[in-house]
Amino acid sequence: MIWYKNVLEEIKNNKFESIATKKGNYYNTPCSFDIETSSFIQNNEKVSLMYIWQFAIEDKVFYGRTWNQYQEFMEMLQEYLHLGEPTELIVYVHNLSYEFQFMRKYFTWNKIFADKKRDPIYADTGTVMYKCSYRLSGYSLAKLAENLKNHTIKKMVGDLDYRQVRHTETQLTEEELGYCANDVLIVTAYITEQIEECGDITKIPLTSTGFVRRFCRERTIKSKDVKTRLNYMLIMKRLTLSGAREYASLKDAFQGGFTHASHIHTEEINEEVSSYDFTSSYPAVMLS
């Protein structure tokens, strides 16, 4: 772990910008974390283990082979950057729900926000806030690299054979290490571009739908045009229910969610039936 300290000393001397918000202070610095794992069958059960982790701060990449090493690395980072006193580091993980299942027992979590079981959008230790860059972008890592605007970096293919079972003492080649580094550098490049577009790291939304909500808010309730804001408020007022009677009437009149057969074909057996899924069908129908 000595070599970490040499590189961390360089980071310590950097004057990272700190952004103050109502929820706390955050370093305006792109960071990313990722792990590589191997799966195998042991005692008739599927087992999976992490054999390397990689952590990127801007364009600097750190490696480690065990969770104990990662804990030690984070303690150094906390000391050198004075994390939690009072500034936190935001670290993006591409598909956080996967990495979180491996790391969740190694840290104490102050707050976890998830929209469904085992699928956190962010997880906060009080010094580091892990966020999901997959939920933010909606792209796979390869597609994310293709859609970078100001950076040229591609997802490496073929340098890491996932069929080979590896562990923490498996020797890795330079090509394999380069593959690992590439994955976190794609994410830091993406977050760098988001910082430039959004203003700072605290203004980046949690998920891709946040961009849509921001777009709508800026053109309605938060519009700079007073007339636009008033018109929006009047529309919302007209749409607001006036009382219990109106609510009861609307509830009685509502029908939806029917999934039964058409009465024309009830009790028939139909051969060679096909179907297709129309992406975003409901808003498409509304606009059509």
Side-chain angles (χ1 to χ4, degrees), residues 22-49:
K22 292 180 180 179
K23 295 182 179 180
N25 299 346
Y26 301 92
Y27 281 118
N28 195 34
T29 306
C31 298
S32 177
F33 174 69
D34 185 33
I35 65 173
E36 297 296 339
T37 64
S38 275
S39 298
F40 52 92
I41 303 298
Q42 186 178 58
N43 299 328
N44 296 323
E45 290 187 1
K46 187 175 182 179
V47 179
S48 187
L49 58 84

Side-chain angles (χ1 to χ4, degrees), residues 32-249:
S32 177
F33 174 69
D34 185 33
I35 65 173
E36 297 296 339
T37 64
S38 275
S39 298
F40 52 92
I41 303 298
Q42 186 178 58
N43 299 328
N44 296 323
E45 290 187 1
K46 187 175 182 179
V47 179
S48 187
L49 58 84
M50 181 273 292
Y51 63 85
I52 187 172
W53 57 263
Q54 47 272 0
F55 189 102
I57 303 177
E58 296 179 336
D59 59 349
K60 291 183 173 63
V61 180
F62 303 85
Y63 300 94
R65 305 301 301 270
T66 67
W67 285 112
N68 287 339
Q69 288 177 347
Y70 184 63
Q71 288 174 311
E72 185 179 343
F73 170 75
M74 294 309 294
E75 288 172 3
M76 291 183 189
L77 206 60
Q78 180 177 344
E79 177 187 349
Y80 283 17
L81 297 182
H82 305 289
L83 299 180
E85 300 175 8
T87 308
E88 278 197 70
L89 196 66
I90 297 176
V91 177
Y92 282 89
V93 183
H94 210 68
N95 194 12
L96 176 60
S97 60
Y98 182 78
E99 268 77 4
F100 186 74
Q101 302 314 314
F102 288 87
M103 66 192 295
R104 60 190 176 87
K105 293 183 179 180
Y106 291 94
F107 297 94
T108 301
W109 305 96
N110 286 7
K111 186 176 182 181
I112 297 172
F113 174 64
D115 56 357
K116 54 186 177 182
K117 189 176 181 180
R118 298 185 181 276
D119 195 2
I121 298 175
Y122 73 75
D124 189 2
T125 67
T127 57
V128 175
M129 179 179 287
Y130 295 91
K131 292 187 177 183
C132 185
S133 52
Y134 176 71
R135 298 293 294 271
L136 172 64
S137 65
Y139 290 134
S140 68
L141 208 53
K143 188 61 70 174
L144 186 68
E146 290 177 16
N147 284 274
L148 291 173
K149 298 176 182 177
N150 305 318
H151 296 77
T152 304
I153 180 170
K154 292 184 178 180
K155 166 73 172 168
M156 297 174 72
V157 179
D159 287 330
L160 202 63
D161 185 357
Y162 284 97
R163 293 171 299 179
Q164 180 182 342
V165 176
R166 299 177 177 87
H167 53 78
T168 56
E169 295 183 6
T170 302
Q171 291 293 319
L172 300 177
T173 66
E174 289 297 323
E175 290 75 16
E176 291 171 332
L177 290 173
Y179 181 100
C180 297
N182 187 260
D183 285 358
V184 285
L185 290 175
I186 290 172
V187 176
T188 53
Y190 171 68
I191 297 304
T192 298
E193 294 186 359
Q194 292 304 309
I195 289 173
E196 293 169 356
E197 290 184 16
C198 297
D200 64 64
I201 200 166
T202 67
K203 293 184 175 66
I204 301 175
L206 282 176
T207 65
S208 56
T209 56
F211 292 107
V212 180
R213 288 194 293 270
R214 179 181 296 171
F215 178 89
C216 294
R217 283 196 301 267
E218 289 175 352
R219 285 155 182 79
T220 54
I221 194 65
K222 290 191 175 182
S223 172
K224 295 179 181 179
D225 181 56
V226 177
K227 186 176 180 181
T228 299
R229 292 201 305 271
L230 289 174
N231 286 338
Y232 174 76
M233 291 168 69
L234 287 172
I235 291 172
M236 291 297 103
K237 188 175 182 180
R238 288 198 300 270
L239 291 173
T240 303
L241 300 183
S242 59
R245 176 179 289 183
E246 187 174 3
Y247 171 76
S249 298

